[in-house]
Amino acid sequence: MRGGGQSPAALAAKVRTMAPSLTRSMQRVAEAVANDPAGCAQLTVTGLAERTGTSEATVVRTSRLLGYPGYRDLRLALAGLAAQQESGAAPAVTADIAVDDPLADVVTKLAHDEQQTLADTAAGLDTAQLEAAVGALAGARRVDVYGIGASSLVGQDLAQKLLRIGLVAHAHTDPHLAVTNAVQLRPGDVALAITHSGRTVDVIEPLRVAFEHGATTIAVTGRPDGEVTSYADHVLTTSTARESELRPAAMSSRTSQLLVVDCLFIGVAQRTYETAAPALSASYEALVHRHSPRPRHR
């Protein structure tokens, strides 16, 4: 991927997403370019290394991890990001939620963080990978979805949506059942794993089994360098808001994961519209009476 092909928003999103998984020296470089893109855009590779107390090699490696062939390409993107921020397009970062915050402030801070998370995820999502994943799901004989904890709730949401448009989809939250079901998958089937950390063993194991049995595999993860991607044909990267004592990773990752699975669902529904639309209507008709008010008995 050429660095010039990434938007300034995508660069900012990638820095926020990848920073926790970088070495400390690389984190200093990533944080510097995210916090002061205008200043860093004026620096040579030597200047940025001196400013961050790292080496030129570390600066170059960080540039490449962020998706740029070299530091020169990163500087061009930083200049674009600086221009965007000067125009007022980039919002100021709010403070963490405090124990004694009024609920009104909690609402404001959460709304800001979730909006930023959604914007970061959208900016950093590889649409080519998304298109490929949608194509695989649309033509799948069977879809298995793996997730543990908060990610399992997102997996269940995707599975029930796919069921409503006529696909055979199952969300597995029991790791043993997930593996025994993965053994049955074959070419033409799809296995999708959801793990923010990219290293959840109970999610990686069934995906590995599905991969080895020829199923098309998809990983939805906040760590594109995580172990789960070793067994994924297609990788969809999520972003997260800043974590705090009252806002754990499970909360922020859920927001971005839901956006990705909604994109998958809409894409599949578009591809299979002739069958999806009647299936949605049939499921609605089957349930509509449950949403009607019951007559009161005197």
Side-chain angles (χ1 to χ4, degrees):
M1 179 191 303
R2 290 292 298 175
Q6 294 192 60
S7 68
L11 170 61
K14 185 166 286 189
V15 168
R16 279 187 286 266
T17 298
M18 295 190 66
S21 63
L22 300 176
T23 65
R24 289 187 178 181
S25 57
M26 288 183 177
Q27 281 182 7
R28 291 200 295 273
V29 176
E31 290 169 359
V33 300
N35 294 333
D36 185 16
C40 291
Q42 303 300 317
L43 298 174
T44 63
V45 63
T46 303
L48 184 55
E50 292 176 350
R51 174 172 172 172
T52 55
T54 61
S55 65
E56 293 180 10
T58 297
V59 171
V60 173
R61 283 197 299 270
T62 306
S63 300
R64 289 174 179 168
L65 281 175
L66 292 175
Y68 299 89
Y71 179 61
R72 176 181 175 276
D73 302 272
L74 176 60
R75 283 183 72 183
L76 292 174
L78 291 177
L81 179 56
Q84 183 187 70
Q85 290 179 335
E86 288 174 5
S87 70
V93 178
T94 60
D96 288 336
I97 297 172
V99 175
D100 57 352
D101 272 348
L103 276 177
D105 289 352
V106 171
V107 171
T108 299
K109 291 179 178 181
L110 279 177
H112 174 274
D113 279 353
E114 298 217 355
Q115 288 169 1
Q116 188 65 60
T117 297
L118 291 172
D120 286 353
T121 300
L125 197 57
D126 186 328
T127 52
Q129 290 285 303
L130 181 64
E131 286 277 4
V134 165
L137 288 168
R141 181 184 68 93
R142 164 181 163 184
V143 178
D144 277 18
V145 185
Y146 314 126
I148 297 294
S151 295
S152 73
L153 301 177
V154 178
Q156 291 173 54
D157 180 76
L158 174 61
Q160 67 91 11
K161 282 186 171 73
L162 295 177
L163 282 169
R164 290 196 66 186
I165 59 174
L167 273 70
V168 178
H170 305 281
H172 300 285
T173 57
D174 183 301
H176 292 177
L177 287 177
V179 172
T180 56
N181 276 272
V183 171
Q184 307 303 321
L185 298 182
R186 298 291 182 270
D189 297 327
V190 171
L192 187 149
I194 305 174
T195 164
H196 170 62
S197 69
R199 56 177 184 269
T200 307
V201 174
D202 289 339
V203 173
I204 294 172
E205 184 64 12
L207 191 73
R208 178 188 64 78
V209 173
F211 180 81
E212 292 175 349
H213 281 75
T216 299
T217 52
I218 302 167
V220 177
T221 180
R223 301 288 182 263
D225 56 343
E227 185 182 352
V228 70
T229 61
S230 299
Y231 308 106
D233 295 306
H234 311 297
V235 178
L236 303 175
T237 305
T238 58
S239 180
T240 60
R242 295 171 299 113
E243 295 180 39
S244 66
E245 183 180 6
L246 296 178
R247 183 175 171 80
M251 284 180 63
S252 55
S253 63
R254 179 198 60 207
T255 300
S256 53
Q257 289 170 352
L258 285 170
L259 174 61
V260 172
V261 300
D262 280 352
C263 289
L264 287 170
F265 168 71
I266 293 298
V268 172
Q270 288 176 322
R271 295 276 188 100
T272 63
Y273 183 77
E274 290 187 1
T275 55
L280 277 172
S281 296
S283 65
Y284 174 79
E285 291 297 330
L287 296 173
V288 67
H289 70 282
R290 294 182 174 273
H291 300 292
S292 300
R294 295 182 179 181
R296 293 184 178 181
H297 298 287
R298 293 185 179 275

